[in-house]
Amino acid sequence: GRIRDFRSSHDDFEGTLGDDRGLVETELGSDEKPVYAGPSDGTLTTSGPDNFDEWYRDTPDVNQGIPLTINLEDAGGGVFTYNNPEFFPIDGEGFGNESNPHNYHFTYELSASFVYQGDEVFTFTGDDDLFTFINHRLAIDLGGVHGPESDTIDLADRATELGLEVGETYDLHFFFAERHTVQSNFRIDTTIAFIDCGPPPPE
């Protein structure tokens, strides 16, 4: 995937704490990025569409893009897991730690494809924001600046909503944001067997 590092002075970082659901539209945009759904003057934890549009786009002088690969380990029983309760993958990189013990201000975007088998589950636990799209449709919304929170998608239960048919290939798009000191938790547990994983190209 692709990390984008931000300075803590960005208007959407180190601000108000709280859950902030409904930040993004329920379908990805034509460029496969989340579309801001809040009002023009912002929400509890965001400052409006222009600044939000920088979260997952390379923007000169605003963020710095850094490739990052994570590996899901076989946890047995068909479950694959990545679990990091101190998810600070770019300490000392990008704009640096800014006098903090870690680099706390970044977003992370990744995507992958899978063949839907009819019984997969995808769980995320972490902080802060997390938006997961399956077949370009919003499946998990953990928007906001908060402590670790979890949500699970049972694909069979939501197959109609997400437009899934057994045997067909679909994309999963994953958008994470770490926006505030002092925690960074990141955990994925899934039975999805991904077949095509790769970082988004630099923009």
Side-chain angles (χ1 to χ4, degrees):
R2 190 165 184 81
I3 290 269
R4 291 177 176 88
D5 185 34
F6 290 79
R7 296 181 179 91
S8 61
S9 58
H10 188 281
D11 286 343
D12 286 346
F13 292 75
E14 283 300 315
T16 303
L17 305 178
D19 289 338
D20 204 358
R21 307 298 196 248
L23 290 179
V24 299
E25 299 286 353
T26 57
E27 293 197 11
L28 282 179
S30 58
D31 59 354
E32 299 190 332
K33 306 287 187 180
V35 178
Y36 186 72
S40 60
D41 59 350
T43 65
L44 176 67
T45 70
T46 67
S47 55
D50 291 343
N51 283 329
F52 179 84
D53 285 349
E54 297 168 346
W55 288 22
Y56 303 109
R57 294 172 174 87
D58 290 2
T59 308
D61 300 322
V62 174
N63 61 41
Q64 295 187 27
I66 302 169
L68 177 70
T69 296
I70 61 172
N71 296 307
L72 277 66
E73 303 292 337
D74 188 345
V79 177
F80 298 90
T81 296
Y82 178 85
N83 182 20
N84 190 342
E86 293 196 5
F87 185 64
F88 301 111
I90 55 167
D91 279 0
E93 298 183 58
F95 295 117
N97 294 6
E98 299 183 283
S99 300
N100 292 310
H102 299 286
N103 187 334
Y104 290 100
H105 308 101
F106 59 88
T107 65
Y108 186 35
E109 172 185 3
L110 57 85
S111 62
S113 300
F114 66 98
V115 178
Y116 176 50
Q117 303 296 327
D119 59 357
E120 292 94 328
V121 174
F122 182 93
T123 298
F124 178 79
T125 302
D127 62 283
D128 293 299
D129 313 79
L130 185 279
F131 314 108
T132 300
F133 292 79
I134 293 178
N135 194 24
H136 290 203
R137 303 177 190 187
L138 183 63
I140 291 180
D141 177 2
L142 292 177
V145 182
H146 48 70
E149 296 181 354
S150 298
D151 199 2
T152 296
I153 315 164
D154 186 320
L155 272 61
D157 287 348
R158 299 178 64 182
T160 300
E161 173 192 349
L162 298 173
L164 306 180
E165 295 184 9
V166 173
E168 296 297 319
T169 301
Y170 299 99
D171 293 329
L172 181 148
H173 292 82
F174 180 100
F175 301 91
F176 171 80
E178 172 57 42
R179 294 199 279 149
H180 202 284
T181 54
V182 293
Q183 299 183 70
S184 184
N185 295 269
F186 189 105
R187 177 168 183 158
I188 293 171
D189 297 282
T190 186
T191 59
I192 296 174
F194 295 112
I195 59 172
D196 183 17
C197 308
E203 299 173 358

